[in-house]
Amino acid sequence: MEAEHAAAAPAAPPKPAKSKGNPLTDLIDSEKEYVDRLAGVIRKVAAAWSRTNFPPAELDAMFRAIEAVYRANRGFVSKLKEIGPNPSSPKALGDLLMRW
């Protein structure tokens, strides 16, 4: 089983940071990429297990925690997108960041 994992292709390296001139655009883009990567991890892990082949309890707990992080960040990026890169209400952005 370990040989299979060793042969797996490594994750793509992070893209070099590009200055887009708007830090809020950078935040939205990076959060979206993070959420997409978490979704990929969750999909791959879920594909490795089935209803008849459960993961060990410690591994299950770890990936449930990853799912919780995914849900929280998915909500965060959704709210960031609603606010947009040029918020009409800086207070909405400040409130979101303070809650986060």
Side-chain angles (χ1 to χ4, degrees):
M1 181 92 172
E2 287 186 34
E4 292 174 25
H5 292 292
K15 296 176 187 172
K18 291 188 248 178
S19 178
K20 297 177 183 162
N22 184 333
L24 194 49
T25 299
D26 292 343
L27 178 60
I28 293 168
D29 291 347
S30 65
E31 282 297 316
K32 173 75 171 100
E33 184 173 337
Y34 180 63
V35 166
D36 290 345
R37 287 178 181 257
L38 284 175
V41 168
I42 292 168
R43 275 193 306 273
K44 288 177 183 175
V45 169
W49 304 103
S50 69
R51 292 177 189 250
T52 59
N53 181 24
F54 292 112
E58 290 176 354
L59 188 60
D60 185 54
M62 181 175 61
F63 281 101
R64 287 184 189 276
I66 290 172
E67 287 175 333
V69 169
Y70 166 75
R71 284 190 304 272
N73 279 76
R74 185 181 61 193
F76 180 59
V77 78
S78 174
K79 290 175 182 165
L80 279 174
K81 285 179 178 181
E82 286 175 20
I83 291 170
N86 298 303
S88 58
S89 170
K91 182 179 182 330
L93 176 61
D95 290 347
L96 174 62
L97 294 174
M98 290 300 290
R99 282 191 309 267
W100 181 244

